Amino acid sequence: MARYDLLAAGKTFTRESLAAREPSLWRYSELLPLREAVNRVSFGEQFTPMVPMPSLGEALGMERLFMKDEGLLPTGSFKARGAALGVSRARELGVRAFAMPTNGNAGGAWAAYGTRVGIDAYIVMPKSAPAINKVECVMTGAHVWLVDGLISDAGKIVGKAVAEYGIYDASTLKEPYRIEGKKTLGFELIEQFAWNVPDVILYPTGGGVGLIGIYKAIRELQAMGLLEERLPRFVAVQAEGCAPIVRAFDARQTESTFWDGANTVAFGINVPKALGDFLVLEALYESEGTAIAIDDASILAMQRRIGETEGLFICPEGAATIAAAAELRRREWIAPQERVLAINTGTGLKYPDVTLPKLELLQPDATIRIETRK
Ligand SMILES: *Cc1c(COP(=O)(O)O)cnc(C)c1O
């Protein structure tokens, strides 16, 4: 993992100096692996909103429920953070082409950032990946293959290509820079909470890179004396159809084992065995956090409820974190006044296949009846 001279960085990386910089992930340059700013690959990334959820929070018994909405990043998911840094650093290293397995959003992001600077993307994804992700990769010029299997199978195929052609391996945690991009999510949320640590952070965990990244960000800020020593309690949220981290956490293990028959609507977290599982589990144990699995029906019901109460159309993975918060509140693991932050990792627009109820079809001369809410 990337390490920095925190003492040197601290000379210019201060609360005050940061506040005066552009509101984007690039503002954290001292703690990013890029040497030269000219190598930045950017679509104009901005800070993502920290959205309070007062209506739903009240209904669920949480007074301070927030959602950080990563669906507004370029390519519609927080994978843009990893791709922005990963591709920029690859460019700096002179990489001309990379290969990677993906469940969809990482491929979409890396293809876009890569193509922007003429780096070729070779992408293998499960044939069951969301259609939009396949379209994104194709439309941004990647070479795309589908595999009749899971992301782990895609990973094996990429591994063989890396061995045979020596192509740059952009798989999760096979290169150390993607996580540095995802780390900026942690810096950003701490700044948005005015340099306070939330009590609980819920993260939809597939490979777990985002969770590890937030944890690393907080640790670095603490080591620099910029943040109190307290950690937020991290919650790894998984789907019942694919919950290797939850199973390992419940058994107090330090590593997970492969989850057979992985299957969930929350495709971004359909990862049967994460390479960085031990790091995710370490963050959970160190922070006195937990891991919890949510079934698909509850995920989809919560996705709809979030839209109906807060007007946010988020992805199933993000909805799982709110469903998890509701369940942990029920179990009193979360107290009513605690500051609870759920991470929404992508926009709901990426998943047009969510069940659409039958809508009434009108003739052009029809009239409609409206009953307003009291
Ligand atoms: C990739 C992805 C995740 C999981 O992210 P990790 O950091 O790899 O655990 C969650 N949600 C969405 C929408 C994703 O694309």
Side-chain angles (χ1 to χ4, degrees):
M1 263 205 253
R3 297 272 171 241
Y4 302 86
D5 181 345
L6 296 178
L7 214 60
K11 294 199 175 96
T12 49
F13 190 106
T14 63
R15 292 185 182 188
E16 297 70 33
S17 77
L18 286 175
R21 299 181 188 179
E22 57 179 336
S24 90
L25 58 87
W26 302 106
R27 78 197 272 159
Y28 306 111
S29 58
E30 291 92 337
L31 298 184
L32 295 178
L34 206 63
R35 297 254 148 84
E36 305 287 343
V38 292
N39 291 319
R40 285 182 189 174
V41 186
S42 173
F43 287 99
E45 303 72 24
Q46 295 290 311
F47 263 32
T48 61
M50 180 68 75
V51 189
M53 305 183 86
S55 312
L56 190 56
E58 189 183 346
L60 299 176
M62 286 175 277
E63 291 162 24
R64 295 196 282 173
L65 179 63
F66 295 85
M67 168 160 287
K68 185 144 172 72
D69 191 2
E70 297 281 287
L72 281 94
L73 284 166
T75 72
S77 89
F78 91 115
K79 294 295 196 297
R81 293 184 190 273
L85 259 297
V87 172
S88 295
R89 182 64 181 146
R91 178 193 198 191
E92 193 161 71
L93 294 171
V95 169
R96 306 301 309 272
F98 63 80
M100 72 189 305
T102 177
N103 264 346
N105 284 328
W110 279 72
Y113 280 85
T115 294
R116 192 154 176 77
V117 285
I119 300 178
D120 291 331
Y122 294 84
I123 292 172
V124 185
M125 69 172 95
K127 77 169 197 294
S128 50
I132 297 240
N133 293 138
K134 296 169 192 162
V135 174
E136 281 182 289
C137 292
V138 171
M139 290 303 289
T140 52
H143 305 262
V144 188
W145 293 267
L146 304 179
V147 60
D148 195 359
L150 296 173
I151 187 169
S152 41
D153 301 300
K156 278 182 231 154
I157 293 170
V158 167
K160 280 187 266 181
V162 167
E164 183 165 354
Y165 300 102
I167 190 170
Y168 189 74
D169 189 348
S171 310
T172 302
L173 298 176
K174 290 281 173 71
E175 55 79 66
Y177 307 115
R178 177 201 293 226
I179 181 170
E180 296 302 302
K182 292 189 174 183
K183 187 179 79 176
T184 61
L185 169 54
F187 294 147
E188 213 175 286
L189 73 89
I190 291 294
E191 281 204 272
Q192 288 173 317
F193 276 127
W195 296 90
N196 292 301
V197 175
D199 297 297
V200 177
I201 295 180
L202 301 110
Y203 186 81
T205 305
V209 185
L211 193 152
I212 301 166
I214 298 171
Y215 180 68
K216 187 170 192 271
I218 291 176
R219 284 300 203 199
E220 285 175 358
L221 295 178
Q222 289 174 336
M224 292 168 79
L226 290 169
L227 199 60
E228 56 177 311
E229 279 301 316
R230 195 170 61 90
L231 285 172
R233 291 173 355 253
F234 283 100
V235 182
V237 181
Q238 299 203 294
E240 268 190 6
C242 181
I245 299 284
V246 179
R247 184 169 63 190
F249 180 84
D250 288 343
R252 287 270 142 186
Q253 284 160 347
T254 52
E255 259 180 60
S256 66
T257 49
F258 192 91
W259 186 277
D260 287 315
N263 182 32
T264 167
V265 291
F267 213 71
I269 54 175
N270 201 31
V271 181
K273 164 84 176 138
L275 208 60
D277 55 359
F278 65 103
L279 296 168
V280 175
L281 288 159
E282 182 191 311
L284 300 185
Y285 297 134
E286 285 287 311
S287 71
E288 293 174 15
T290 191
I292 181 169
I294 307 295
D295 66 81
D296 277 7
S298 305
I299 290 175
L300 292 175
M302 186 55 86
Q303 185 190 26
R304 182 86 179 268
R305 188 169 172 195
I306 293 163
E308 288 173 351
T309 53
E310 299 285 354
L312 288 162
F313 182 26
I314 68 170
C315 65
E317 294 84 347
T321 63
I322 300 287
E327 176 57 26
L328 291 172
R329 176 68 198 99
R330 256 195 304 276
R331 296 184 197 167
E332 310 244 310
W333 191 87
I334 292 175
Q337 75 295 341
E338 282 190 307
R339 189 137 53 167
V340 178
L341 173 60
I343 308 291
N344 175 45
T345 38
T347 168
L349 296 173
K350 288 229 179 182
Y351 305 74
D353 341 306
V354 288
T355 18
L356 188 64
K358 201 163 159 38
L359 301 173
E360 198 179 329
L361 181 67
L362 302 175
Q363 294 308 314
D365 61 352
T367 54
I368 53 174
R369 252 194 69 173
I370 293 175
E371 291 163 53
T372 54
R373 246 194 297 209
K374 293 280 160 341

